[in-house]
Amino acid sequence: MNKHFSRRNFLNGGLTAAASLTFPTLFPQPATAQDVAPEESLFVVGPLKGYTPQIGTLVSMLNYNRDTIIRSVKNMTMAQLDFLFDANANTIGGLLLHLAAVDKFYQINTFEGRQDFNEEEKKEWGAAMELGDAGRKEIKGREVSYYLNKLAAVREQTLAELKKKNDKWLLAVDPVRTKQMKQSINTYWKWFHVCEHESNHRGQISWLKSRLPGAKPAKD
């Protein structure tokens, strides 16, 4: 059984991993820190090479959130991914595919100006987007690599498209959604929502992991 995932375990493990990858020590001397490019560290929020400043800052947050998800689930078994806490819950596998579906939706919305999936996309992403009974019925029987590959493929396309855009595009208000919501909504908020949406489900995944059969009692 995997070691129980908690905020404490995550922070300790994450900082150690980041230190081994990007820093000689966890608290380097100033001269060493200056040699580290921001894009090399998940713990630096800010502009990234290849993107305009605001988009790069957004991408740095998307990257950090996604890394926490991957490290949380990468060693899970199919049985753990399919575990259903109760009749109204979602599985961890379902939540992972849901994250990919939401990323995909905001691709078509912000890059193509569409307000909904087309019929082909609904067949692929409908259950994952809505979850509920359809998600519980259809999203199961897959290894973790399936979910990670789906997440990676969608995000790769997102990042490629974001490299083509600029900060003016990111800050622009969407007139269609603004009219629907009766308040201004811009593209930046949409991708910020993808980011905070992923954080929300990361918390659910952590909670579900602590309820897996044989899991140790939660400490947080």
Side-chain angles (χ1 to χ4, degrees):
M1 180 62 63
N2 295 331
K3 184 178 180 181
H4 169 61
F5 180 79
S6 67
R7 287 192 299 273
R8 186 179 298 107
N9 291 333
F10 161 68
L11 288 171
N12 289 340
L15 288 173
T16 300
S20 66
L21 289 172
T22 60
F23 302 109
T25 63
L26 186 57
F27 300 104
Q29 296 299 316
T32 303
Q34 291 171 1
D35 293 336
V36 179
E39 61 267 31
E40 294 179 7
S41 174
L42 290 170
F43 297 93
V44 173
V45 172
L48 291 177
K49 185 177 180 180
Y51 304 92
T52 54
Q54 292 279 4
I55 292 179
T57 300
L58 168 69
V59 170
S60 71
M61 293 185 280
L62 290 170
N63 287 345
Y64 174 81
N65 264 5
R66 179 55 56 83
D67 182 74
T68 66
I69 293 288
I70 292 170
R71 285 191 287 109
S72 175
V73 305
K74 65 181 181 180
N75 295 318
M76 295 188 71
T77 66
M78 185 188 299
Q80 291 171 332
L81 293 165
D82 289 349
F83 173 72
L84 193 63
F85 181 74
D86 61 34
N88 295 316
N90 296 303
T91 64
I92 291 175
L95 291 173
L96 292 174
L97 205 58
H98 176 65
L99 295 179
V102 170
D103 203 327
K104 183 67 178 180
F105 172 77
Y106 280 100
Q107 280 182 14
I108 68 162
N109 181 255
T110 63
F111 302 140
E112 301 178 32
R114 291 193 279 133
Q115 302 301 315
D116 200 0
F117 289 136
N118 59 34
E119 291 305 312
E120 182 178 353
E121 290 162 342
K122 286 178 181 178
K123 291 179 182 178
E124 180 177 3
W125 298 107
M129 191 71 181
E130 300 300 328
L131 292 177
D133 290 337
R136 284 184 284 272
K137 180 180 179 181
E138 297 179 26
I139 306 172
K140 57 185 175 181
R142 304 281 190 171
E143 299 289 351
V144 69
S145 58
Y146 169 83
Y147 299 104
L148 296 182
N149 288 339
K150 282 284 192 179
L151 285 163
V154 175
R155 180 54 57 85
E156 182 179 2
Q157 184 178 356
T158 292
L159 297 181
E161 292 298 323
L162 286 174
K163 285 184 176 180
K164 302 174 186 177
K165 303 300 183 180
N166 57 33
D167 290 348
K168 182 178 180 180
W169 169 87
L170 187 68
L171 296 171
V173 171
D174 177 353
V176 176
R177 291 293 289 159
T178 293
K179 184 177 181 179
Q180 291 172 342
M181 300 296 292
K182 296 183 173 57
Q183 57 183 324
S184 296
I185 298 176
N186 69 356
T187 308
Y188 206 151
W189 179 87
K190 293 179 183 182
W191 284 104
F192 165 76
H193 175 60
V194 173
C195 195
E196 56 104 11
H197 171 264
E198 197 149 316
S199 293
N200 174 59
H201 287 305
R202 184 182 68 205
Q204 290 182 328
I205 289 170
S206 179
W207 189 90
L208 288 169
K209 285 184 69 175
S210 73
R211 270 66 183 178
L212 290 172
K216 295 180 180 180
K219 295 181 180 180
D220 295 330

